[in-house]
Amino acid sequence: MIISRYELFNLNEVNIFFSKWLLLLFVAGIVIERNQETITRILGNVNNTLLWLSAAVLILLATYVNKPITVDYLLSIIILILILPINQERKNLLKIGDASYTIYLSHIFFVMAYGMVVKNITDITVGIIMAVATAVISIIAGIILYDRVEKKIHH
C-alpha cells in the first residue's frame, strides 16, 4: 500500500496493483496454490455438492451484499479454498476449464447475436430459452475453437 501511496511506479496500473489489497490477493493465491495438497487432504472428504453450494452462496454474498472491500477479498480467498478440493473426475468440466479463456474470447459473438434477436421477442420464456441456448452454443463453440485452434498454437 505504501508503494501505491507514493506512486513509485510510472504506470497507474502497477500502482493500482499495489493498492486496494490486490497484492495481498496475489500472494494469497500463491500460498493457496502451494498448499493445494494440504487443502485437498483437509477438505477432500467433504461432499462435492456441499463444497459447490458453499462456494455458490459465498459468491452470491460477495456479489449482492454491500460490505467492506476487505470482506470481498476474504470471501474470494475462501471461495478459492472451497473450490480447489472438488473432485475433478468429470472430464467435461475439465474440458470446459481448459477451454475457458477461448470460451470467454468467443462468447461475445453469440451474445451479440442473441441480443439482436431477443430485442424483438416479447415472450419472456422464449427469451430465457434462447439465453440458455446461447450459453450452451457459446461453450460448445469455445471448446471446438480451443481444440482446433488454440491447442495447435500452443503445441
Side-chain angles (χ1 to χ4, degrees):
M1 299 247 246
I2 293 170
I3 293 172
S4 68
R5 184 173 297 132
Y6 294 109
E7 296 184 4
L8 298 177
F9 297 100
N10 291 334
L11 295 173
N12 285 334
E13 293 81 9
V14 175
N15 289 314
I16 289 171
F17 177 77
F18 286 108
S19 68
K20 300 181 184 176
W21 295 77
L22 287 178
L23 182 61
L24 171 67
L25 279 181
F26 180 76
V27 172
I30 292 172
V31 170
I32 290 169
E33 189 272 331
R34 300 264 178 172
N35 294 290
Q36 182 173 355
E37 290 177 15
T38 305
I39 293 168
T40 301
R41 199 173 333 113
I42 293 169
L43 294 176
N45 294 329
V46 178
N47 185 314
N48 285 341
T49 305
L50 183 60
L51 291 172
W52 278 117
L53 286 173
S54 300
V57 167
L58 291 177
I59 289 168
L60 290 172
L61 180 69
T63 305
Y64 295 110
V65 174
N66 288 330
K67 67 211 141 325
I69 193 74
T70 52
V71 174
D72 280 332
Y73 295 141
L74 181 62
L75 287 172
S76 299
I77 293 168
I78 294 169
I79 290 165
L80 179 59
I81 290 171
L82 289 174
I83 290 174
L84 273 177
I86 291 177
N87 187 345
Q88 298 180 2
E89 292 178 5
R90 296 192 173 160
K91 301 288 184 207
N92 292 339
L93 289 179
L94 289 174
K95 188 146 191 103
I96 291 171
D98 290 343
S100 62
Y101 187 64
T102 307
I103 294 168
Y104 165 72
L105 291 176
S106 63
H107 87 283
I108 190 67
F109 300 106
F110 301 101
V111 172
M112 286 176 32
Y114 165 77
M116 292 184 331
V117 172
V118 83
K119 68 181 176 185
N120 298 324
I121 295 175
T122 57
D123 186 5
I124 189 74
T125 306
V126 174
I128 291 171
I129 291 170
M130 288 179 65
V132 171
T134 301
V136 170
I137 291 168
S138 295
I139 291 169
I140 292 170
I143 290 171
I144 291 170
L145 287 169
Y146 173 76
D147 284 338
R148 305 247 169 126
V149 178
E150 187 177 346
K151 267 186 171 178
K152 290 181 181 178
I153 291 171
H154 291 292
H155 297 294

